[in-house]
Amino acid sequence: MRAKAIIHLDRFKENINSVKTRIGQNRQICVPVKADAYGHGALQIAKTALTAGASCFGVAAVQEGLALRKGGIKTPILLFSQPCPDEIKDIIKADLTPFVSDAEFAVILNEYAAKANKKISVHLKIDTGMGRIGCDTKDAKELAAHIKKLSDLILTGTATHLAVSDSTNVNDIEYTKNQISRFTKAVNAIRAAKIDPGIVHAANSGAVILHPNAWFDMVRPGILLYGYKSFEEYTAPVAQLKSLSKFKKIISEPVMELQSSVVLIKKIKEGETVSYGRTWTAEKDTLIGVISVGYADGLPRLASNRWQVLIGKEYYPLVGRISMDQCCVNLGKKTNVKRWDEAVIFGSPDHDDHDASSLAKITGTIPYEITCNISKRVPRVYKR
Ligand SMILES: *Cc1c(COP(=O)(O)O)cnc(C)c1O
């Protein structure tokens, strides 16, 4: 079969369980399923997450929320990004829970809600140092009071987002602690004004691993549930990790495995070149395997001549440029590889170093971008 992404739902469930064990049974888990669940398929991931005890979902685009509703998801869906006014009708239709950062947007939302004769549940978003959406920490209490006064909005949560929670650098740890303390103060001020802040939440993946004080009522780990640590847990200086309370290693296994097949094997002679730009020349006679996956499937072109593909139990180096739909590996002079054999591009169980994280490292990006970029034409095959 041509390129396909095996989605190991059993591993996804295990990752949820391992987060649950870490944060305790009394806290809720919001599963970010934005960008089609980081490329894994939002609806399947959402359904699986519900069976593993997730309580709500996070999307970035209103369309993503609508699609989940069409697929039968009934739990709350948080809208993480600031929407435009022309999206509000669909927010109401899909019963999404938007983040509110300012009074102006609260008023617009309220008007639409009144017109539709519906109540909209919202979460107050506080900017404690991310510098993106959210209100100023000192304005949080006032904004909460404002939302409370609007007849058709219901404040069901209060949130912030952490900028460097995945870093073990001393200054970054300090920065995160400050964000958490500013957030705590703002939430306390809301409570002191006799306003219920609803579900309080702040922790992304980094904070689930490194900052227990950020766990509050609910956590929102994305990349960790898809199997990647957002930081170098195993290479961080132990002294730095020990300065973090209750630090524990947490297990999380890659959920996505990108596979394809060797569709042709052919001999090439010493001195002959492979693919566009002639960037690779055979030093001796050898066998080349053509694999049916390319950059249009999401295999970064930057991995040309720098990545290996797993066929059977052996790794074979990519040679020549990765093209749009195909790439080539050097099989050597003699090989056990047969035409139509399966080739794993990344994420095979039992091959820890051959995952989206290592591929990201050699291509100058992060695992998030690798899995998000696995394109639409690559079918997702769900394994339970
Ligand atoms: C994407 C996102 C998350 C998840 O971030 P990870 O680094 O994948 O854990 C959490 N909260 C918000 C608001 C987000 O947009």
Side-chain angles (χ1 to χ4, degrees), residues 30-34 38 58-60 78-81 99 125 130 132-133 159-162 165-166 201-208 219-226 228 230 368:
C30 167
V31 178
V33 293
K34 57 194 182 187
Y38 295 35
V59 297
L78 309 185
L79 182 60
F80 286 163
S81 305
F99 281 177
K125 181 77 189 283
M130 178 69 182
R132 209 170 54 182
I133 61 169
T160 193
H161 196 42
L162 304 168
S165 68
D166 55 354
H201 52 109
N204 48 6
S205 296
V208 165
V219 299
R220 313 183 304 261
I223 199 70
L224 185 61
L225 295 181
Y226 299 111
Y228 294 96
S230 41
Y368 300 71

Side-chain angles (χ1 to χ4, degrees), residues 263-283:
V263 293
L264 182 70
I265 296 177
K266 65 163 171 213
K267 282 183 191 156
I268 69 163
K269 289 210 161 63
E270 177 188 335
E272 289 181 340
T273 59
V274 167
S275 190
Y276 291 119
R278 307 184 62 215
T279 59
W280 187 84
T281 306
E283 280 174 7

Side-chain angles (χ1 to χ4, degrees), residues 14 58 162 181 217 236 285 357:
E14 280 165 26
L162 304 168
S181 106
D217 302 329
D285 294 0
S357 181

